[in-house]
């Protein structure tokens, strides 16, 4: 039996807290002791004599500040599993302060390469397909939304216009975005760190400010990728979900439908109504939990095809690959929607795949592997 400490991180819609609560129950069901630490209230903390595993989810930034969770992690020396769902540049300073017993879980090969080659972190880094697993499947219902895309949209120029910076810095960002537009599978932040970071550092003088520019490159590249597809999708009867869509000024030729942002817990019901669900995260992110949430509701997920996703899923059988060129998306959607029976078969196979390979118990198994690896041979196997 292991003693597991889980940090309650901060996140939108309390997703992390909900995940911690669920995983605590799953660990306890296997006979393990679980302690959940709320980092906003450490004064009354009673520390157990032995701890075998620490876990911090995607909102783990506060988990590792000096005087918060990190001192506890260093004291016990057992594995500290950190689920990193965002690009590492967004937490670069915190990552450098992580204790040596950290095991980083990332959902992108590009992110793993960035950690190893750019940040040169000394930790064990493992690919993990989901920091937040799929929602509970709902009963089959009428699929009255042919194409669905959940998420806000913004032109990259509008995003960058909201950040004051020297003109020379803006030109360096634009150079990175131009290359990202030509090759969206390559990590634009790694490109920035090799081609622009030193130039920006010379201009701004502070490493933290130069890293902040890298964060802007990441966010702008994400907006750019999504916006390139949006310009074609908005001309089609696609349902977009997000307040920015409701507020967006209509252009001649627009045919999209807009729904306001929904609470996280209501999204599964929306996915269950969709024939095709679009994931427009930039391909250098590889995997996004939105894929699982769509697929488990039997919606046909469509996403950029990457080498790692091709190892995890059977494209054209369990999900669809977005066209590499946004200009091809209209004809591609027409072809896909022309055969609803095929879509239903893909949706059913995708749902079965997620339920078999990406369920809650699989995630718990992966985390408990750390306990077994750290234990002496005579006391291994914490199933």
């Amino acid at each position: 039996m292991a003693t597991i400490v889980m940090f309650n991180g901060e996140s939108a819609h309390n997703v992390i807290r909900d995940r911690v609560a669920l995983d605590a129950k799953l660990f306890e069901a296997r006979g393990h002791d679980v302690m959940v630490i709320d980092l906003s209230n450490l004064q009354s903390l009673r520390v157990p004599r032995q701890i075998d595993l620490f876990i911090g989810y995607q909102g783990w930034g506060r988990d590792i500040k000096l005087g918060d969770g990190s001192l506890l992690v260093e004291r016990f020396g057992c594995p500290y599993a950190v689920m990193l769902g965002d690009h590492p540049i967004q937490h670069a300073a915190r990552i450098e302060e992580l204790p040596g017993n950290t095991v980083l879980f990332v959902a992108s090969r590009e992110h793993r390469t960035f950690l190893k080659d750019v940040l040169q972190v000394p930790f064990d880094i493992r690919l993990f397909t989901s920091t937040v697993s799929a929602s509970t499947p709902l009963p089959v219902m009428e699929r009255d939304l042919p194409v669905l895309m959940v998420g806000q949209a913004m032109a990259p120029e509008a995003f960058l216009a909201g950040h004051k910076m020297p003109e020379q810095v803006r030109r360096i960002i634009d150079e990175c975005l131009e290359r990202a537009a030509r090759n969206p599978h390559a990590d634009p932040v790694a490109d920035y760190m090799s081609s622009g970071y030193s130039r920006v550092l010379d201009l701004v003088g502070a490493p933290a400010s130069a890293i902040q520019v890298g964060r802007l490159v990441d966010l702008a590249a994400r907006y750019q990728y999504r916006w390139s597809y949006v310009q074609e999708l908005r001309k089609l009867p696609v349902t977009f979900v997000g307040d920015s869509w409701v507020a967006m000024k209509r252009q001649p030729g627009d045919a999209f439908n807009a729904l306001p942002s929904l609470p996280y817990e209501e999204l599964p019901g929306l996915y269950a109504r969709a024939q095709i669900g679009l994931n427009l995260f930039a391909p250098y992110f590889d995997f996004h939990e939105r894929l699982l949430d769509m697929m488990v509701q039997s919606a046909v997920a469509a996403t950029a095809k990457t080498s790692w996703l091709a190892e995890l899923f059977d494209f054209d059988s369990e999900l669809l690959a977005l066209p590499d060129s946004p200009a091809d998306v209209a004809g591609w959607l027409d072809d896909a929607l022309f055969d609803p029976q095929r879509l239903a078969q893909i949706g059913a196979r995708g749902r079965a795949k997620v339920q078999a390979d990406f369920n809650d118990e699989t995630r718990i198994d992966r985390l408990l592997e750390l306990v077994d690896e750290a234990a002496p041979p005579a006391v291994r196997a914490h199933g």
Side-chain angles (χ1 to χ4, degrees), residues 5-78:
V5 171
M6 306 177 74
F7 292 119
N8 252 340
E10 297 178 344
S11 62
H13 312 295
N14 288 322
V15 173
I16 301 303
R17 292 180 180 271
D18 292 346
R19 176 56 55 202
V20 167
L22 172 60
D23 282 7
K25 292 180 181 178
L26 294 172
F27 283 122
E28 289 171 345
R30 298 196 187 192
H32 303 294
D33 291 331
V34 178
M35 180 179 185
V36 177
I37 295 179
D38 192 325
L39 293 168
S40 63
N41 183 24
L42 288 175
Q43 286 74 18
S44 60
L45 179 63
R46 299 181 64 183
V47 180
R49 291 184 178 181
Q50 176 182 338
I51 298 176
D52 301 288
L53 176 65
F54 289 92
I55 303 174
Y57 281 91
Q58 189 170 334
W60 55 269
R62 293 185 58 213
D63 302 1
I64 55 178
K65 283 184 180 177
L66 193 64
D68 284 355
S70 63
L71 294 182
L72 198 60
V73 170
E74 291 172 344
R75 171 181 166 186
F76 283 87
C78 60

